[in-house]
Amino acid sequence: MHRLRTCAARLRPLTASRTVQNRSHKQPAAPRTFQPIRCFSAPVAAEPFLSGTSSNYVEEMYFAWLENPKSVHKSWDVFFRNANAGAPPGMAYQSPPPLGMSLSSLPSAQSLVSAQPNVEKLVEDHLAVQSLIRAYQIRGHHVAQLDPLGIMDADLDSFVPADIITSSDKLEFYGLDESDLDKVFRLPTTTFIGGSESALPLREIIRRLEMAYCQHIGVEFMFINDLEQCQWIRQKFEKPGVMQFTLDEKRTLLARMVRATRFEEFLQRKWSSEKRFGLEGCESLIPALKTIIDRSSANGVDNVIMGMPHRGRLNVLANVIRKELEQIFCQFDSKLEAADEGSGDVKYHLGMYHRRINRVTDRDITLSLMANPSHLEAVDPVVQGKTKAEQFYCGDTDGKRVMSILLHGDAAFAGQGIVYETFHLSDLPSYTTHGTIHVVVNNQIGFTTDPRMARSSPYPTDVARVVNAPIFHVNADDPEAVMYVCNVAAEWRATFHKDVVVDLVGYRRNGHNEMDEPMFTQPLMYKQIKKQKPVLQKYAERLTSEGAVTQQEYEEEISKYDKICEEAYERSKDEKIMHIKHWLDSPWPGFFTLDGQPKSMNCPHTGLSEDELTHIGEVASSVPVEDFTIHGGLKRILKSRGDMIKSRTVDWALGEYMAFGSLLKEGINVRLSGQDVERGTFSHRHHVLHDQNVDKRTCIPMNHLWPNQAQYTVCNSSLSEYGVLGFELGFAMASPNALVLWEAQFGDFHNTAQGIIDQFICPGQAKWVRQNGIVLLLPHGMEGMGPEHSSARPERFLQMCNDDSDMFPKITGDFAMRQLYDCNWIVVNCSTPANYFHVLRRQILQPFRKPLIIFTPKSLLRHPEAKSSFDDMNSGTDFLRLIPDVSAASRSTAAVKRLVFCTGKVYYELNRERTTRGMEADVAIARIEQLSPFPFDLVKAEVERFPNAELVWCQEEHKNQGYYDYVKPRIRTTINRERPVWYAGRDPAAAPATGNKHTHLQELKRFLDTTFNLEAFKGLS
Ligand SMILES: Cc1ncc(C[n+]2csc(CCOP(=O)(O)OP(=O)(O)O)c2C)c(N)n1
Ligand SMILES: [Mg+2]
């Protein structure tokens, strides 16, 4: 039950006997008088050896000394004794005694301390008061009244910390008693409760601390290891009178509460049986967000990007982003037809983008809410990536113009690891958005699960402590307190550009959704909720009793908004067609036609002129800055690059260089992010050179290619996949004119980012009509490296492709482009550097955006045959979706007995084996480089070239993995199912690869045998 609160005015008197008994053994019976004395903070600051950061250390030592003088070094003991005894500045410090000498042999210390015995007691009492103040600053939030229901404690614990003064006997903890309550104490510089006073009676000190830290706001900040930031927060919450609002502010707040509340009531009245995940019980979220936005706008922010879960989303769309109400209401009409292609999404997932004038600041502001899946918190890194990109494009290097707001549910915030991953991006140079304001809609429940079963941390917000973000818990039934903390949060972000959390502690008036019965599982909580007066009513009563509004004004405000809703409802009936594109969170102005179509269905050739290739190659082989010493090994690598360029050849790394470098020339920004991407996990890339003699001096030659080129960002990420891939996806969302790539360290690690792949990348366009050109580079290949370092799981990506395996498509002139346009993503496995180069360039030169999944090789990075000539990259050349056989088999195609289709690096193993066995005339090998969308036309042509050949699909992966299940039905469709497609590859298996090198080689030998044994499939059909 609600904790019984006490404040200084109600402190219980101590009994005389206890007072005497408890104090007598601790204190000399000296008379106590109050007189100005040296307090710790001021004189210590005057000590010559103390400055800046050392004061934190001194503080620690000091508190340790207070608890037990023996716990610190003797020199500190002497110092604190002398300081307390009134030694003048500069005199308190004594050199440490030589080893072995006892404290008693230090005459000066002894004489100072013993000279003023009463002062010591005074100092102790002052220090006790300082400790008490500090206790409230650290632990006051544990006793703040945060739960509007008064049932639970927001920190899951009804324990009152021993050092918080809830009754006068608690004073004993500090060696104080009731008689000290009216004594005046000097206030330390680490508190602002005095306002203009520098000393206060203890009773008043406690009362003010209670007011600052134990009412409807609980502030958690003392873990922040920055004194300036702590002082800033203390000031915001401790200064007397900080929580005062003008009449206008109160009336605006009431009007916002009216809108928030009546919106939900309206939906409930009209569509009582529809799910909407209403905000009832936490309606103050709406004024909270509006306050944050108003204040941030006043501070110069003109673009706010938001991400949020289901709870209250429609309300936020209506009352914060200001989506037209009829557009929201028509979503409830089940007869509404979808006008757009794609599957669409439920109404509480859709995004939104709106540019408007902020009425409070009269400044332009763009608000967008990102579309998101049901997967709670998955949108967090996406919002951050999009925010970073918007900052990048407008040159907002310190986040003064663009900011993000993330909303969370209490259970999800505590439970989902992506929250932690996202926090860890917050201060990394290439990922920071310079401070995010997090708002937790803490209704103290997650579906049917109580907080005690949902988290092990006291608060749902504890995860934020890892990045030193202050956390402001606030009782959501006190709208003014909510508004206050939101103002402080916005100011914090504008001042320090760091994350901050507002924890809105409310309740959930209905079940998880409006159809759900909460009494099954939370009977007592819901009995209390039924009795709970709605926050709007409480606040209206408060303002009317204060005389801030009249009852009539309040009622008029309600009927005004109800009328707005009714009129919009009438208009919504005219909406016959639902356009998801009206719910776009990231429009790309100018990229499409006005109808949202690509401007053409052509892609220019992706090849480059000889000069461009040579120039990029030369920069890639050089150190383009003066006096820069690179590692000897790297010198050799650059030299061999130079040699390749002279012989008009590229390897994998150079192919990539050519693609990036040429796009930069064309004004396309390129961003490559992932673990260890700068050097490349396999040490092949070396995009960032490190001076061997000057710490942290680096050079990115890619940024020295052309005058006025676009920017190349290459950044090693934190060790996260889910967070970083989400971030890059968000970055890619902001503009179509950037090549954004995320590379997994080994391809299989992408599966810890599965939610981003399954929920955003694969179906994003279908759900939200929003294109995205992100590129995933997934190292893949069976190299005997064991189960976790072999497979990027092509089968999973292919299984999620939306092309039809059973339909042979109509082959028209623009078939290849149309196919790309229609697919949900592109999956390739290139076998040559030239093709890798082309597919990267095509990604930008094609007139629309699709996610591109590239399985990248490991052994081919240095394979002597995996090189391409400039001839394959010159002007007029293009990406090859299929590389036909070019061996002797192609000279006498009718005689060829077997046509082997494959993809990726296994081609080189097959080719070598064919040569070894002398079977060039018998076996043709064709490489399918673009797996999806499937090159039906080219496969058909290749099959027709070898009319008498058996068809085999060869892969190095296990049969139930890799490409077989995807490719086989499509080849069969291509050949009208007239002939079998045989399988040569590893047997089905549970793990992607063996950990045993010998087994690996055995398996390789076995499937190569099958591939080249022309009898292998005889008699089978
Ligand atoms: C990643 C994920 N796991 C599970 C769910 C299913 N789910 C939907 S809402 C919900 C409870 C969320 O509780 P909370 O975060 O406190 O938000 P609230 O609904 O209380 O606002 C759950 C478990 C989900 N949507 N996403
Ligand atoms: Mg909840």
Side-chain angles (χ1 to χ4, degrees):
M1 282 311 290
H2 208 138
R3 180 181 301 120
L4 187 66
R5 302 290 313 140
T6 60
C7 72
R10 284 182 273 130
L11 293 175
R12 265 191 291 121
L14 289 169
T15 58
S17 63
R18 275 182 70 202
T19 314
V20 172
Q21 185 196 354
N22 289 338
R23 300 190 62 81
S24 56
H25 69 278
K26 287 184 189 165
Q27 307 294 331
R32 300 178 62 207
T33 52
F34 180 76
Q35 54 189 17
I37 57 151
R38 290 173 58 89
C39 80
F40 173 64
S41 50
V44 163
E47 291 296 334
F49 67 101
L50 292 179
S51 64
T53 51
S54 63
S55 60
N56 283 346
Y57 172 63
V58 175
E59 214 176 5
E60 291 302 324
M61 297 296 278
Y62 181 61
F63 281 101
W65 179 77
L66 275 182
E67 275 173 33
N68 175 10
K70 292 205 175 77
S71 68
V72 300
H73 187 268
K74 280 174 187 152
S75 58
W76 281 116
D77 187 4
V78 173
F79 170 72
F80 288 130
R81 280 167 191 267
N82 286 346
N84 286 346
M91 297 295 289
Y93 176 71
Q94 298 290 318
S95 301
L99 279 177
M101 188 187 277
S102 73
L103 186 63
S104 57
S105 62
L106 292 170
S108 59
Q110 286 250 313
S111 57
L112 262 173
V113 172
S114 56
Q116 304 185 38
N118 298 342
V119 172
E120 187 168 350
K121 169 66 185 124
L122 277 175
V123 170
E124 268 180 19
D125 285 355
H126 267 76
L127 295 175
V129 170
Q130 285 193 25
S131 300
L132 184 150
I133 293 171
R134 197 176 153 85
Y136 273 86
Q137 291 170 337
I138 297 174
R139 278 177 285 279
H141 56 86
H142 287 299
V143 289
Q145 302 162 55
L146 299 175
D147 176 15
L149 301 175
I151 299 175
M152 276 190 277
D153 289 286
D155 62 354
L156 297 187
D157 194 342
S158 56
F159 178 77
V160 179
D163 50 2
I164 298 291
I165 308 298
T166 50
S167 56
S168 56
D169 55 351
K170 286 270 200 132
L171 287 167
E172 188 191 341
F173 178 86
Y174 294 98
L176 299 167
D177 63 30
E178 211 186 352
S179 68
D180 294 317
L181 282 172
D182 294 314
K183 287 189 188 142
V184 175
F185 288 86
R186 186 89 161 251
L187 296 167
T189 52
T190 50
T191 189
F192 296 87
I193 51 171
S196 54
E197 315 277 342
S198 59
L200 287 174
L202 178 57
R203 191 186 300 281
E204 182 63 9
I205 290 175
I206 296 173
R207 193 188 70 78
R208 291 193 188 184
L209 288 170
E210 290 250 342
M211 292 307 291
Y213 291 112
C214 306
Q215 303 302 305
H216 286 159
I217 299 173
V219 194
E220 265 192 286
F221 69 105
M222 287 290 280
F223 51 83
I224 296 175
N225 48 24
D226 181 301
L227 185 62
E228 185 199 348
Q229 292 172 9
C230 286
Q231 288 291 77
W232 189 92
I233 292 173
R234 288 174 182 137
Q235 201 168 348
K236 293 287 177 196
F237 290 96
E238 292 182 357
K239 267 194 172 168
V242 277
M243 277 248 302
Q244 275 164 12
F245 300 97
T246 63
L247 194 59
D248 264 0
E249 284 170 332
K250 290 182 184 208
R251 292 164 73 98
T252 304
L253 181 54
L254 182 70
R256 289 174 170 180
M257 289 301 298
V258 164
R259 284 173 169 256
T261 309
R262 299 302 288 189
F263 178 79
E264 298 293 351
E265 285 181 16
F266 186 82
L267 295 185
Q268 183 61 28
R269 265 203 312 281
K270 296 287 184 206
W271 298 280
S272 57
S273 58
E274 277 279 333
K275 277 192 208 171
R276 63 187 154 85
F277 298 104
L279 194 53
E280 293 95 333
C282 221
E283 290 94 336
S284 47
L285 173 69
I286 300 302
L289 292 176
K290 291 183 83 80
T291 304
I292 290 170
I293 292 166
D294 291 348
R295 180 52 68 103
S296 301
S297 162
N299 284 328
V301 169
D302 59 15
N303 190 348
V304 177
I305 296 152
M306 295 166 55
M308 73 175 293
H310 50 286
R311 181 78 50 216
R313 192 175 176 110
L314 298 177
N315 209 326
V316 169
L317 281 171
N319 287 317
V320 178
I321 316 242
R322 297 282 185 149
K323 176 93 188 151
E324 300 83 355
L325 289 176
E326 53 268 39
Q327 288 285 330
I328 296 175
F329 296 158
C330 73
Q331 297 289 310
F332 286 88
D333 180 356
S334 57
K335 293 193 286 301
L336 195 69
E337 280 177 41
D340 308 271
E341 294 161 13
S343 47
D345 203 347
V346 291
K347 50 190 166 292
Y348 39 83
H349 286 171
L350 299 176
M352 171 66 197
Y353 171 96
H354 196 189
R355 186 157 191 83
R356 66 182 176 88
I357 294 272
N358 179 291
R359 290 195 198 149
V360 174
T361 60
D362 218 17
R363 292 168 50 100
D364 263 346
I365 190 151
T366 301
L367 300 173
S368 47
L369 176 65
M370 305 290 282
N372 60 260
S374 283
H375 289 53
L376 294 167
E377 307 291 346
V379 80
D380 299 1
V382 184
V383 168
Q384 300 300 62
K386 161 107 184 263
T387 306
K388 182 77 183 171
E390 298 287 0
Q391 290 174 347
F392 174 79
Y393 293 120
C394 72
D396 181 21
T397 47
D398 40 15
K400 290 199 168 126
R401 291 183 52 199
V402 186
M403 70 175 254
S404 55
I405 302 177
L406 285 179
L407 278 76
H408 314 269
D410 53 319
F413 199 52
Q416 291 292 307
I418 186 60
V419 174
Y420 179 87
E421 290 188 28
T422 307
F423 269 116
H424 266 286
L425 297 176
S426 67
D427 219 11
L428 307 181
S430 297
Y431 302 86
T432 180
T433 54
H434 308 282
T436 298
I437 301 183
H438 299 262
V439 182
V440 181
V441 177
N442 181 356
N443 50 20
Q444 309 186 79
I445 193 164
F447 207 153
T448 66
T449 304
D450 288 329
R452 277 165 215 279
M453 301 300 148
R455 62 178 197 256
S456 295
S457 59
Y459 293 102
T461 51
D462 288 273
V463 59
R465 296 168 66 120
V466 296
V467 295
N468 275 323
I471 300 159
F472 306 141
H473 308 281
V474 57
N475 186 321
D477 261 13
D478 182 345
E480 289 184 7
V482 170
M483 179 153 104
Y484 186 72
V485 296
C486 288
N487 263 321
V488 176
E491 282 297 325
W492 165 273
R493 198 253 168 208
T495 308
F496 298 109
H497 288 286
K498 287 172 66 76
D499 284 27
V500 51
V501 179
V502 174
D503 177 23
L504 272 183
V505 187
Y507 57 94
R508 188 188 70 193
R509 184 166 287 278
N510 302 313
H512 177 59
N513 60 58
E514 291 62 32
M515 306 285 83
D516 213 54
E517 175 51 84
M519 290 291 279
F520 285 146
T521 48
Q522 273 76 22
L524 293 183
M525 184 186 202
Y526 274 81
K527 274 184 197 153
Q528 179 62 32
I529 288 176
K530 279 181 190 149
K531 286 191 239 149
Q532 190 77 5
K533 209 184 253 188
V535 54
L536 173 62
Q537 196 182 331
K538 282 204 256 180
Y539 190 53
E541 283 170 10
R542 182 167 150 191
L543 290 200
T544 39
S545 71
E546 279 176 19
V549 287
T550 62
Q551 182 65 23
Q552 191 190 345
E553 284 168 331
Y554 168 54
E555 282 164 13
E556 276 169 14
E557 191 67 37
I558 289 181
S559 40
K560 191 171 90 191
Y561 187 65
D562 285 358
K563 186 158 168 272
I564 291 173
C565 288
E566 279 297 344
E567 285 168 4
Y569 174 65
E570 288 307 317
R571 284 195 303 274
S572 78
K573 292 179 183 163
D574 302 336
E575 300 275 341
K576 296 281 179 278
I577 293 179
M578 147 85 177
H579 292 277
I580 300 184
K581 57 176 174 270
H582 292 163
W583 296 79
L584 262 184
D585 52 25
S586 312
W588 291 342
F591 186 67
F592 299 110
T593 64
L594 289 179
D595 300 340
Q597 297 302 312
K599 288 187 171 159
S600 81
M601 263 301 152
N602 299 318
C603 179
H605 293 299
T606 46
L608 292 180
S609 73
E610 186 82 11
D611 286 351
E612 283 172 311
L613 291 170
T614 310
H615 173 70
I616 298 170
E618 281 168 356
V619 174
S621 345
S622 69
V623 182
V625 290
E626 300 287 310
D627 299 327
F628 196 99
T629 312
I630 58 168
H631 188 270
L634 190 52
K635 264 190 207 148
R636 284 192 293 281
I637 292 173
L638 296 192
K639 160 124 191 4
S640 80
R641 279 187 188 170
D643 293 344
M644 274 191 275
I645 297 303
K646 280 188 204 120
S647 61
R648 303 182 65 253
T649 312
V650 298
D651 65 1
W652 207 267
L654 276 175
E656 183 181 84
Y657 224 106
M658 301 290 182
F660 291 2
S662 56
L663 291 171
L664 293 169
K665 185 182 183 195
E666 290 155 37
I668 301 296
N669 295 295
V670 179
R671 178 180 164 99
L672 170 62
S673 142
Q675 293 148 27
D676 308 291
V677 293
E678 296 175 6
R679 188 199 73 174
T681 303
F682 310 113
S683 203
H684 71 295
R685 184 175 282 129
H686 298 287
H687 282 187
V688 180
L689 311 181
H690 293 257
D691 194 319
Q692 298 292 302
N693 300 326
V694 186
D695 188 32
K696 299 195 182 72
R697 183 171 179 224
T698 56
C699 166
I700 301 176
M702 194 83 79
N703 278 326
H704 295 258
L705 277 167
W706 322 96
N708 305 323
Q709 67 170 80
Q711 188 174 322
Y712 179 50
T713 307
V714 56
C715 39
N716 288 349
S717 72
S718 66
L719 210 168
S720 140
E721 285 82 23
Y722 192 174
V724 178
L725 177 56
F727 188 97
E728 300 312 332
L729 180 83
F731 200 103
M733 231 166 242
S735 163
N737 298 320
L739 181 68
V740 181
L741 310 98
W742 173 76
E743 183 172 68
Q745 179 140 86
F746 287 93
D748 49 0
F749 293 132
H750 77 257
N751 64 7
T752 70
Q754 202 67 51
I756 297 294
I757 295 167
D758 289 353
Q759 277 20 79
F760 290 88
I761 300 181
C762 173
Q765 185 179 348
K767 293 200 290 191
W768 306 315
V769 288
R770 176 175 77 182
Q771 298 190 2
N772 194 299
I774 188 154
V775 180
L776 272 58
L777 301 178
L778 306 179
H780 171 82
M782 308 290 274
E783 321 269 11
M785 300 290 285
E788 269 75 54
H789 296 148
S790 298
S791 178
R793 298 297 196 163
E795 65 278 9
R796 298 216 185 117
F797 289 94
L798 292 173
Q799 189 251 333
M800 291 194 278
C801 294
N802 67 356
D803 62 341
D804 190 339
S805 57
D806 301 328
M807 277 278 298
F808 190 83
K810 202 161 148 221
I811 311 293
T812 53
D814 59 0
F815 169 70
M817 259 307 111
R818 286 254 155 235
Q819 215 191 4
L820 288 176
Y821 180 68
D822 290 338
C823 75
N824 58 326
W825 56 16
I826 304 163
V827 182
V828 303
N829 189 353
C830 303
S831 64
T832 68
N835 233 14
Y836 177 46
F837 155 85
H838 283 296
V839 81
L840 289 176
R841 284 183 47 77
R842 186 184 74 175
Q843 187 66 359
I844 291 298
L845 297 184
Q846 67 200 5
F848 44 79
R849 294 291 173 260
K850 293 284 163 172
L852 170 63
I853 317 298
I854 310 184
F855 301 114
T856 55
K858 290 179 276 180
S859 59
L860 297 195
L861 300 178
R862 294 186 179 78
H863 197 291
E865 289 164 44
K867 301 244 167 80
S868 297
S869 157
F870 278 14
D871 293 341
D872 297 327
M873 303 162 76
N874 275 150
S875 311
T877 57
D878 281 303
F879 174 68
L880 302 175
R881 290 176 290 139
L882 180 147
I883 304 183
D885 182 274
V886 285
S887 71
S890 299
R891 288 199 285 276
S892 177
T893 53
V896 169
K897 301 198 177 64
R898 183 170 285 181
L899 169 58
V900 179
F901 283 106
C902 67
T903 189
K905 83 136 179 41
V906 75
Y907 165 76
Y908 294 92
E909 270 135 9
L910 292 172
N911 196 28
R912 194 189 54 217
E913 190 70 16
R914 179 172 62 176
T915 311
T916 311
R917 293 179 184 234
M919 293 180 74
E920 285 95 337
D922 300 317
V923 180
I925 306 173
R927 290 169 261 177
I928 299 185
E929 304 272 306
Q930 178 176 295
L931 290 147
S932 186
F934 193 71
F936 285 99
D937 51 340
L938 303 181
V939 170
K940 185 162 189 282
E942 194 66 353
V943 171
E944 285 170 357
R945 237 173 24 116
F946 303 98
N948 303 315
E950 272 182 326
L951 301 182
V952 173
W953 172 257
C954 176
Q955 65 177 33
E956 56 177 357
E957 295 80 2
H958 289 280
K959 192 172 182 181
N960 56 328
Q961 301 163 28
Y963 325 88
Y964 179 55
D965 284 339
Y966 175 85
V967 165
K968 183 179 173 181
R970 286 168 178 78
I971 301 181
R972 296 263 296 147
T973 297
T974 308
I975 56 175
N976 225 355
R977 294 173 196 81
E978 281 164 358
R979 296 146 70 184
V981 176
W982 301 107
Y983 173 77
R986 287 182 163 86
D987 292 340
T994 173
N996 180 298
K997 196 87 186 178
H998 177 72
T999 312
H1000 167 76
L1001 293 172
Q1002 287 288 104
E1003 289 171 349
L1004 174 64
K1005 182 174 175 315
R1006 212 174 298 141
F1007 81 74
L1008 289 176
D1009 279 348
T1010 310
T1011 312
F1012 291 99
N1013 175 3
L1014 297 178
E1015 305 297 311
F1017 307 110
K1018 283 272 148 46
L1020 306 172
S1021 65

